[in-house]
Structure formats: C-alpha cells, structure tokens
Amino acid sequence: EETVKRMKVAPEFEVKLFAGEPLLANPIAFTLDEKGRVWAVECFEYPSRTPKGKKPRDRIVILEDTDGDGAADKRTVFAEGKDFPVPKERAEKGLGAFDLASGLEVGHGGVFVGAPPYLWFIENKNDKPGKFEVLLKGFGSHDTHETLNTFQWGPDGRLYGLHGVFTHSDVEPAASGAGAGPRENDKIRMNAAVWRYDVRTRKFEIFAEGTSNPWGMDFDEKGNCFLACCVIPHLFHIVPGGIY
C-alpha cells in the first residue's frame, strides 16, 4: 500500500494494489486467463541459475479475486520447480529441470513456461499440473537478465516471446519430427530477437531481430507490435523480418 501511494501517474489514471507480499513474492512474469485470474511466476533463482545438484525453487501461482473488490484474496500454487521432471541430458550433468523460470502464458489446455534451456508445456488439470512436455530446447542463460521472456499471444494465434542480446541460444525441437525451420531439426541461432511459436505445427521462427534487452511487448488493435527495452530506454515499433 505504501508503494502505491508513492506512484505518480497521469490524472486520468489510478493505481491499486492487486497482490503483494506475502500473497506474492519475487514475480518475474504474469498473465491473465479466461476467468480473469492472474498466473504468475515467482522466481527465487534470479539473477542466478539453479545451483548444480539442486532442484529449482521457482513456482507458478494463481491469484484470484473471489469477492470482486479488485484485490486478490485466493492463492493457489499450480506447480513448483521440484515438480518438473529432469530431462536425461540435464540429469547426466547433475543439473535440475531448468535454470530459472522467466516466461509464462496460458492456453491450449495448459501453461507455457519459459525456463532455460527449455520451453515447457504443462497440462492444466483443474489447476493442478498434468503432463509435463518439453517443446523446444537450446535456450541459453548466459546472461540471466536476458533470457526468454514476455510471452504473448499474437494476432495470428501464435505464441510470441522476447530474447536479450547477451544470451546465446540455438533453438531446436525437443522431439524429432517437429518443425524448427525450413528443414526439420535445424537449429535456429538467436540473440536479441522477437520469436514466435506455432502451437499447432510446432514451428519455431524469428519474427524480428535486434534491439537490446527487450522485456515488454504488446500488440495494438491493428496488429502492430511494440517493444519496451531495458538498459537502453527505447520503444520500438516492430515489423516482421525487421532488423533493429
């Protein structure tokens, strides 16, 4: 409440507290579902990776306003880092299921989670995790401030996301037979970029390249894409295939 009182906004705006500690801690990503509930990633590893030999502590929570007063009063823990299965390639190196969780979006009967080196899909069974699936792998976490982030459904129905410049990724399908690029199983090298993923065809591609450390994206009513970038205070208008 004290933080809200200190915020300065234009006269036609107001700020209200929806959820704060202890209901929510260390949020790094959030989204809204069709019921108006807030899904958030509580990231306890950031800015470090999950230590070797340890299970990640990050978790996904659901916050709900059940009495309509504009503030969350119900908290449900959907999934925790310890719930994630550890892929064989990580287990052989003594690593946990992921480094740190930084992206989140709901849809298609579940939850899409960005947690390097993977893009995960978790089936939603009555607000409890069902099947865990790795859709893509190869996302880097060299600079933990610039991992895959800001998941957003685009006007074309694809899942969009962002990626910073000092993290280096070679993205490919986690399972054979899924389309990654012009040819199956091509790795896509990515630094600063806007990417998108077609859930139906499982095709991953770069939408636009460049900027610096994009962390914040939205589309207007005409389908124009806009980015906010950290470090350098720029606002970008993004067009498909653009290099910035």
Side-chain angles (χ1 to χ4, degrees), residues 159-233:
L159 181 66
Y160 282 70
L162 303 179
H163 190 285
V165 66
F166 292 120
T167 288
H168 316 293
S169 296
D170 290 294
V171 183
E172 62 181 326
S176 60
R183 296 182 302 276
E184 284 191 354
N185 297 329
D186 277 356
K187 289 185 178 180
I188 293 182
R189 173 64 57 88
M190 184 170 61
N191 298 108
V194 182
W195 55 266
R196 65 182 177 185
Y197 178 73
D198 191 321
V199 178
R200 295 165 300 174
T201 64
R202 300 203 169 200
K203 180 181 180 181
F204 176 87
E205 61 185 346
I206 292 177
F207 181 73
E209 295 188 76
T211 78
S212 56
N213 180 17
W215 201 290
M217 169 180 56
D218 207 352
F219 296 89
D220 68 10
E221 69 278 4
K222 296 180 180 179
N224 290 298
C225 179
F226 296 92
L227 300 187
C229 296
C230 304
V231 183
I232 303 171

Side-chain angles (χ1 to χ4, degrees), residues 9 17-18 38 41 78 102 114 122 138-139 146 155 160 168 211 216 224:
V9 295
L17 179 67
F18 178 73
V38 171
V41 170
F78 175 73
S102 54
I122 309 173
F139 290 100
E146 304 191 358
Y160 282 70
H168 316 293
T211 78
N224 290 298

